[in-house]
Amino acid sequence: MAVILMLVALLALPFLLIALLIFAARHEARRHSWEFRISDIVSLAFTTLGRARTPILLTGLVLALPSLALQLVLGVDLSRSMFQMESEQLVALIGFGGLLGLVFGTLGEVIMTALALDALAGRPADFRVAFAKGLRLLLPAVLIRILWWLGVIFGTMLLFIPGLILMLTWLIVLPVLVAEGTGVFASFGRSGALVRGARWRLLLLVAIVAVAFSMVSGMGQGFMLASATEAARITGAVIQSLLTMVSSALTVTGLSAVYHQLKSQREGLVGEDLEAVFA
């Protein structure tokens, strides 16, 4: 009986946490005059992806190709292949893969963010302009990514809550950098200023997205594990890469939508955004 009650409590815990987040988010929303609704963010993210789907998805596909190629070269069961390597080879592979992922992943995120922000502002999404901006902002974006992870990981080690606070405070630091061209540390400060008063709603949004992405990713990984033949495993790897591409694109458009919504609701439309409204 005690085991059954424990299982029921564990199954109910996520729903209780979501209910608590909904209550906190609604209470937070009543305390501020400006609007920030999760439904608007989700709608904006999909609308933005629809407007600039070709360049954004193609960029996401290019980002997913290295992982797919690595799986095809070493074998679809990448973890098993890694355990069969010598320690020096494994360290070299992890280091080289991490460096490539950091540089090219950051470049791709900046490009997709620039495309998404153009679409949100009503401007045509020009890949050449976004790529040039990505190259120009690559170094500060890489520094931001490193500092972001170091801060969140260190904060998580301090009883988890500080890491969660930093994650929410710095959630839109990359869109800030791309949209406003501020420096590295100024982008962190600007992100914190924009999300102030919306952290509970952002936490609820992050929780919903995390659950949705976990379910989709789990289905792809389950297909790979259930595949009996090599051809089926390769198909599963391709499907997993496509899911990664779509989830990366939605993550970038979602964060860009959060930045756009917070900025427009708290400060109003200015500059090129205002011109786009009356164009």
Side-chain angles (χ1 to χ4, degrees):
M1 187 65 180
V3 175
I4 296 177
L5 291 176
M6 185 178 297
L7 289 175
V8 171
L10 289 175
L11 291 174
L13 184 59
F15 297 98
L16 292 175
L17 290 176
I18 293 293
L20 177 62
L21 288 178
I22 292 174
F23 173 80
R26 290 175 63 89
H27 178 70
E28 179 185 67
R30 287 194 293 266
R31 291 166 49 200
H32 300 280
S33 58
W34 45 273
E35 293 184 353
F36 180 76
R37 292 192 293 263
I38 292 177
S39 58
D40 292 340
I41 299 301
V42 174
S43 176
L44 271 177
F46 280 97
T47 302
T48 302
L49 184 58
R51 289 175 181 170
R53 57 186 176 275
T54 300
I56 290 179
L57 289 176
L58 284 178
T59 304
L61 178 61
V62 171
L63 293 179
L65 285 178
S67 175
L68 176 60
L70 194 62
Q71 292 185 62
L72 296 179
V73 170
L74 298 178
V76 177
D77 193 347
L78 186 57
S79 59
R80 184 182 302 172
S81 300
M82 292 175 66
F83 278 118
Q84 294 172 352
M85 292 181 179
E86 298 291 337
S87 58
E88 296 81 2
Q89 292 177 324
L90 183 59
V91 170
L93 177 64
I94 294 176
F96 183 70
L99 181 61
L100 282 181
L102 176 64
V103 174
F104 288 99
T106 304
L107 177 61
E109 286 183 20
V110 174
I111 292 172
M112 288 192 290
T113 301
L115 292 167
L117 290 172
D118 283 341
L120 284 164
R123 299 186 295 268
D126 191 328
F127 178 80
R128 290 176 297 178
V129 175
F131 183 74
K133 180 176 285 189
L135 291 178
R136 188 173 69 252
L137 296 176
L138 179 58
L139 181 57
V142 167
L143 291 175
I144 280 176
R145 199 172 187 182
I146 293 173
L147 292 174
W148 193 94
W149 278 109
L150 288 176
V152 171
I153 291 173
F154 181 74
T156 303
M157 294 170 61
L158 300 175
L159 301 178
F160 182 73
I161 299 298
L164 186 61
I165 294 174
L166 287 178
M167 182 197 72
L168 295 173
T169 303
W170 298 342
L171 192 65
I172 55 172
V173 61
L174 191 59
V176 167
L177 173 71
V178 176
E180 303 182 13
T182 52
V184 173
F185 295 103
S187 296
F188 281 104
R190 173 70 168 155
S191 175
L194 285 173
V195 303
R196 188 176 297 116
R199 290 192 180 95
W200 280 110
R201 284 167 284 180
L202 286 174
L203 182 57
L204 177 59
L205 176 62
V206 169
I208 293 172
V209 171
V211 171
F213 281 2
S214 298
M215 293 175 62
V216 173
S217 178
M219 289 189 294
Q221 293 177 0
F223 182 83
M224 290 178 61
L225 293 175
S227 302
T229 65
E230 189 68 18
R233 290 193 181 97
I234 292 175
T235 302
V238 172
I239 292 175
Q240 185 69 19
S241 297
L242 292 176
L243 291 175
T244 301
M245 173 192 70
V246 175
S247 64
S248 299
L250 283 174
T251 299
V252 170
T253 55
L255 291 176
S256 300
V258 169
Y259 165 78
H260 179 83
Q261 189 76 352
L262 285 173
K263 182 174 181 294
S264 61
Q265 289 295 326
R266 301 190 65 157
E267 302 176 358
L269 298 174
V270 295
E272 294 180 349
D273 293 339
L274 187 61
E275 294 174 4
V277 173
F278 294 99

